[in-house]
Amino acid sequence: MTTPATWFVTGTSRGLGLELVRQLLEAGHNVTATTRSTERLTEALAGVDTSRLLALEVDLADETAVADAVRRTTERFSRLDVVVNNAGYGFLASVEDTTDADARRMFDVQVFGVWNVLRAVLPIFRTQKSGHVVNVSSVLGLVSVPGWGLYCAGKFALEGMSEALAAEVAEFGVKVTLVEPGYFRTSFLTTDSLALPTSTTEGYEAIRQMTDDHLNLQGSQLGDPVKGAAAIISLVASGDGPLRRLLGSDAYSYATGKVRALQADIEAGRELAHSTDFPQS
């Protein structure tokens, strides 16, 4: 990765995205940072040299707005090297208590918004025969737990799309990385970033208790966002490595547990799987 490289980062007003922008600017890179509030972003970057920053308020669900943001990036910095799809928020509710509007809003950000960004940047990457897409997923894109059904659905979709994308664009010299963080000590578990259902159904007391437990977890998460952002920059700088990269010891524990459980399920279904084939002649 050359310096300065040009990065396009979504979801930058707080948390991991904000820390990533800060470190990129301090390293001398060009950064387009999309956010819901450029005022909040610039206030959070007080003391940082922002002469290489292009801060834009963009509705990621608006394909035209996203394309315009990418166009403004290349006009300002003359190139584009790295895209980080980081925008997102949490949602804690039972599947039954998740409304159609809740689901569509989540997918607009976590899936369709990412797709809008990719449609805008991939022609550039293919033409220049280089580029790196970093899709920030979650360990909950590998493991699903009660209460996180909607959030996990969005991240599972992102994982599937990213895996296909990586194989599709490899021949053009374009790299794809899925970053799968665990719980990081950001504002993700506050009501600023964690959405809750408008109403709840009786009988899901365990999920309501789990919601309270998560809100109380704020401030004691294991993951350090400073180290997490530095790890993302390092992964891109190395230009190598596997598709999926876990961040956090908790993420590693969740993921390895899921692999063992999945392997057990597969082996338990071995006889059934083979029984549905046509007879071998």
Side-chain angles (χ1 to χ4, degrees), residues 92-119:
L92 261 175
S94 69
V95 170
E96 185 177 349
D97 288 332
T98 302
T99 68
D100 179 78
D102 292 332
R104 293 178 186 278
R105 192 178 304 115
M106 176 67 74
F107 271 67
D108 271 347
V109 176
Q110 290 199 156
V111 181
F112 304 132
V114 173
W115 231 302
N116 285 339
V117 173
L118 292 174
R119 277 193 292 264

Side-chain angles (χ1 to χ4, degrees), residues 156-224:
F156 270 60
L158 179 63
E159 296 256 342
M161 180 263 281
S162 299
E163 189 170 338
L165 175 66
E168 292 170 358
V169 299
E171 66 177 292
F172 305 114
V174 179
K175 176 74 175 176
V176 178
T177 300
L178 269 167
V179 174
E180 297 158 336
Y183 290 106
F184 270 70
R185 202 169 297 178
T186 66
S187 61
F188 184 76
L189 293 180
T190 68
T191 52
D192 285 340
S193 299
L194 185 63
L196 301 173
T198 54
S199 62
T200 57
T201 304
E202 289 186 12
Y204 291 110
E205 286 77 12
I207 291 178
R208 285 193 285 276
Q209 181 59 54
M210 188 262 292
T211 299
D212 291 339
D213 292 343
H214 274 77
L215 293 173
N216 292 331
L217 182 64
Q218 178 62 31
S220 61
Q221 301 97 318
L222 290 174
D224 181 344

Side-chain angles (χ1 to χ4, degrees), residues 116-128:
N116 285 339
V117 173
L118 292 174
R119 277 193 292 264
V121 303
L122 287 175
I124 298 171
F125 285 175
R126 284 191 297 102
T127 299
Q128 67 192 23

Side-chain angles (χ1 to χ4, degrees), residues 236-251:
V236 173
S238 71
D240 201 7
L243 170 65
R244 291 178 170 85
R245 305 307 295 264
L246 295 161
L247 297 183
S249 60
D250 54 350

Side-chain angles (χ1 to χ4, degrees), residues 12 18 21-23 25 33 40-50 53:
T12 60
L18 172 60
V21 170
R22 178 182 288 111
Q23 292 189 27
L25 292 174
R40 183 168 58 198
L41 172 61
T42 53
E43 287 177 356
L45 291 172
V48 178
D49 181 0
T50 57
L53 173 67

